[in-house]
Amino acid sequence: MGKIFVEGVGEVQEYVDVCDYAVGLSRMIGGPILPSERPGHALIEQWNPVGLVGIITAFNFPVAVYGWNSAIAMICGNACLWKGAPTTSLISVAVTKIIAKVLEDNRVPGAVCSLVCGGADIGTAMARDERMDLLSFTGSTKVGKQVALMVQERFGRSLLELGGNNAIIVFEDADLNLVIPSALFAAVGTAGQRCTTARRLFLHESIHDEVVAKLAKAYAQVRIGDPWDSDTLYGPLHTKEAVKMFLDAVEQAKQQGGSVVCGGKVINRPGNYVEPTIVTGLPHNAPIVHTETFAPILYVLKFKEEEEVFAWNNEVKQGLSSSIFTKDLGRIFRWLGPKGSDCGIVNVNIPTSGAEIGGAFGGEKHTGGGRESGSDSWKLYMRRSTCTINYSKNLPLAQGIKFQ
């Protein structure tokens, strides 16, 4: 898909890691035994597979996202039907062949993890098919909304992992030795094409100019080149359409009062290369700032007070990832609390991107509300039954009802 070699290796490693995690999890899945109010009765929860899990993934993580879903789905007892992105179909075929061989070597049919290639017509068919017990969709908020409506129309179950307009907030007491590499990785990594990419950088007014200068210097040192070259840190965008979206966003930012500190142009070389870009001077609520552009554009914004910047973090429609940089313990816990970030991923002194597989991955609001990978995400791939067992010779009713 165009990401640099080390990120590609890291993505495959993520699939390996989540398989490792899932194997351990398979021995731990279970429901509680609950106290029954009725003598001689047991109350338990039983978890069973949903059946068939449809998995639609995006171009930007063409291996790992399927790994999160398929590994957890399989240890929950489900079969999988995968539709990868049309532009990364060779990756989907290669991964499916590897999985099929492993399954068949262990006397499990390879078709437990099946693959279908195609475009939106295939995705629509999957969303509308009642045999699809769960549909996990990763992609844009616009398409995700359409998928959710189609699935809900048949009272199906969906897991949505959609867009993000993620912010890093840097307070005056922050360690800038952490801030600069974090902001650089979060904004420039994968050429700005992660759902967790940092798109907004809020800087306290007292350190704004210093951080912008240091960040611009770091941007100038980013090694741009062939993603296969192990020395490259920044590769191309995925498509020509992405290049056009980048240019349109830069132009809108200028029209709305922004200043391009660095970048903003197409790089004159073969491929879909654009310059990583920093824009300053925009208000926090500028329309372009509230628009998720899947490209390496970072909007740098000034703030004065904690309360206002927490509100600005939350004012966008998406709620995926967020991070603050501070040493203030009270502020950290306010950030994690009910009046802090409204995102599914809430970080302190680390970037917005680069999540571990052990935690639940996903976000709120227009990000879709789904959770994948770790923690108790496995529950989404199973159905729960509450079971009451009478092992006595009497028939007491709940709530002390007498029916005689």
Side-chain angles (χ1 to χ4, degrees), residues 85-237:
T87 52
T88 56
S89 54
L90 293 181
I91 297 171
S92 304
V93 170
V95 169
T96 299
K97 284 185 172 182
I98 292 168
I99 296 168
K101 183 179 187 308
V102 173
L103 292 175
E104 288 162 4
D105 286 350
N106 288 275
R107 298 183 298 282
V108 176
V112 163
C113 284
S114 293
L115 172 70
V116 59
C117 292
D121 56 332
I122 302 296
T124 298
M126 291 173 70
R128 288 184 171 155
D129 197 317
E130 293 198 356
R131 295 170 295 179
M132 209 68 61
D133 298 291
L134 168 67
L135 185 63
S136 173
F137 175 84
T138 301
S140 70
T141 297
K142 180 183 176 183
V143 178
K145 184 177 182 180
Q146 296 169 357
V147 168
L149 289 171
M150 285 186 277
V151 174
Q152 185 59 43
E153 194 171 36
R154 61 177 175 85
F155 288 99
R157 188 192 294 196
S158 61
L159 191 170
L160 302 176
E161 171 49 54
L162 310 177
N165 192 345
N166 315 295
I168 292 175
I169 302 171
V170 184
F171 287 91
E172 64 272 26
D173 65 335
D175 183 346
L176 297 189
N177 291 325
L178 294 177
V179 169
I180 303 304
S182 294
L184 182 70
F185 174 69
V188 172
T190 325
Q193 297 171 110
R194 294 184 180 221
C195 50
T196 53
T197 291
R199 311 203 180 278
R200 298 176 294 152
L201 177 62
F202 292 106
L203 300 175
H204 189 270
E205 59 183 4
S206 65
I207 58 169
H208 176 275
D209 294 351
E210 179 187 0
V211 172
V212 169
K214 288 185 175 182
L215 196 55
K217 185 178 178 182
Y219 266 54
Q221 295 169 358
V222 171
R223 297 184 298 278
I224 301 169
D226 185 337
W228 283 102
D229 184 342
S230 60
D231 199 44
T232 297
L233 285 180
Y234 177 91
L237 293 177

Side-chain angles (χ1 to χ4, degrees), residues 50-55 69 73 78-82 132-134 136 381:
V50 292
L52 177 60
V53 177
I55 302 165
N69 282 276
N78 301 295
C80 301
L81 179 63
W82 179 25
M132 209 68 61
D133 298 291
L134 168 67
S136 173
Y381 302 85

Side-chain angles (χ1 to χ4, degrees), residues 263-284:
K265 298 188 288 294
V266 172
I267 298 172
N268 185 20
R269 59 174 293 160
N272 304 317
Y273 286 85
V274 300
E275 294 174 341
T277 301
I278 298 174
V279 177
T280 61
L282 286 165
H284 65 92

